[in-house]
Amino acid sequence: MSVRRVVAGNWKMNHGPAEARRFFDALGAVPSGPRVVVFPPVVSLASSVASAQGVELGVQNIHAAESGAFTGETSASMARETGAALVLIGHSERRHLFGESDADVAAKIRRARAAGLEPCVCVGETLEQRRAGRLEEVLETQISAALEALDPGAPYMIAYEPVWAIGTGETATPADAAQAHALLRERMRARHGEAGGQAPILYGGSVKPANAADLMDADEVDGVLVGGASLAAESFRAIIEAA
Ligand code: PGA
């Protein structure tokens, strides 16, 4: 595999500034090899920047506008200024709980690019869509909208996160992941050529120390995006070691 492995943690709405600092103190320096990324809540970004060692940091969301009257929102350039290098875009919780569309995802990707943030764009089907045999169609629609907005000349990553596997304890099998990743890789290559062959595709959804190595051994699985198991330094470290 030519793509460098990535282990990313999405803390969601967990760990304030003091807890973030305790997490990074406990994690210490990470083993060399994989890229390690953490997406803390935006209020914990500054303390994460001050305490993380060898870990890249990102934000979980940005607004599509550069600035303006958007109470409660964070712009890409503010996130960048505070020390974020990456941004999660289109996480299923943003899509399903906050109603974000593929058009919103595309607009945020463009804003991230303009600010110099590396987008990690999440795609994935719901259980209903999978049961209705719509896996390919859903992934195709989501990845096409993302690729249209992404720049093949700048780094980005894609995360395949089947919605039914997020926070449920139910993990896709390595074969499920390989099937979805192959489809995504094919679209990425078709649209972005060599760059589309090189951008990492992460699997996410109930990744734990016990299943991380098997998932990362699957074809085209270049890393993992971890929610629950990224909250404790010990389990996150075990996943980094598995990579
Ligand atoms: P989970 O979350 O690992 O807790 O299932 C993954 C994610 O939402 O990125």
Side-chain angles (χ1 to χ4, degrees):
M1 185 182 49
S2 54
V3 178
R4 185 176 170 203
R5 283 209 167 141
V6 181
V7 175
N10 171 15
W11 286 355
K12 309 190 180 183
M13 199 168 72
N14 297 288
H15 291 352
E19 196 56 45
R21 183 178 291 278
R22 277 194 287 274
F23 173 94
F24 286 113
D25 287 349
L27 185 67
V30 295
S32 62
R35 278 182 80 182
V36 180
V37 181
V38 170
F39 296 94
V42 72
V43 294
S44 303
L45 182 57
S47 85
S48 298
V49 168
S51 52
Q53 301 172 55
V55 176
E56 298 174 75
L57 295 162
V59 287
Q60 300 169 13
N61 182 39
I62 49 167
H63 194 274
E66 168 56 19
S67 63
F70 300 104
T71 300
E73 294 291 312
T74 303
S75 78
S77 52
M78 290 169 193
R80 183 98 178 95
E81 186 184 337
T82 312
L86 297 97
V87 55
L88 277 183
I89 298 181
H91 187 276
S92 77
E93 285 150 21
R94 300 296 319 171
R95 291 179 189 264
H96 297 283
L97 302 176
F98 298 98
E100 285 186 11
S101 65
D102 283 326
D104 296 323
V105 169
K108 290 183 180 196
I109 291 171
R110 292 199 170 89
R111 184 58 60 191
R113 284 175 47 189
L117 290 178
E118 177 175 347
C120 175
V121 184
C122 306
V123 299
E125 82 289 359
T126 64
L127 191 56
E128 295 68 40
Q129 290 165 334
R130 172 170 275 258
R131 286 197 175 135
R134 296 180 52 215
L135 170 68
E136 285 194 18
E137 172 212 321
V138 170
L139 292 186
E140 166 77 35
T141 304
Q142 293 179 347
I143 194 68
S144 297
L147 289 169
E148 172 84 33
L150 285 164
D151 174 5
Y156 67 83
M157 15 181 135
I158 301 294
Y160 168 61
E161 298 205 302
V163 179
W164 47 271
I166 296 179
T168 58
E170 199 163 326
T171 317
T173 63
D176 289 334
Q179 180 201 6
H181 286 222
L183 189 148
L184 295 169
R185 181 64 79 200
E186 193 256 309
R187 298 312 306 146
M188 289 158 67
R189 275 217 183 85
R191 179 93 202 182
H192 283 176
E194 201 182 321
Q198 290 298 317
I201 311 179
L202 317 187
Y203 167 79
S206 298
V207 174
K208 303 181 259 302
N211 60 23
D214 281 349
L215 285 160
M216 282 187 274
D217 276 346
D219 272 355
E220 300 290 4
V221 176
D222 304 310
V224 285
L225 178 54
V226 187
S230 73
L231 291 174
E234 200 174 282
S235 53
F236 193 54
R237 171 172 278 276
I239 295 170
I240 297 167
E241 279 162 3

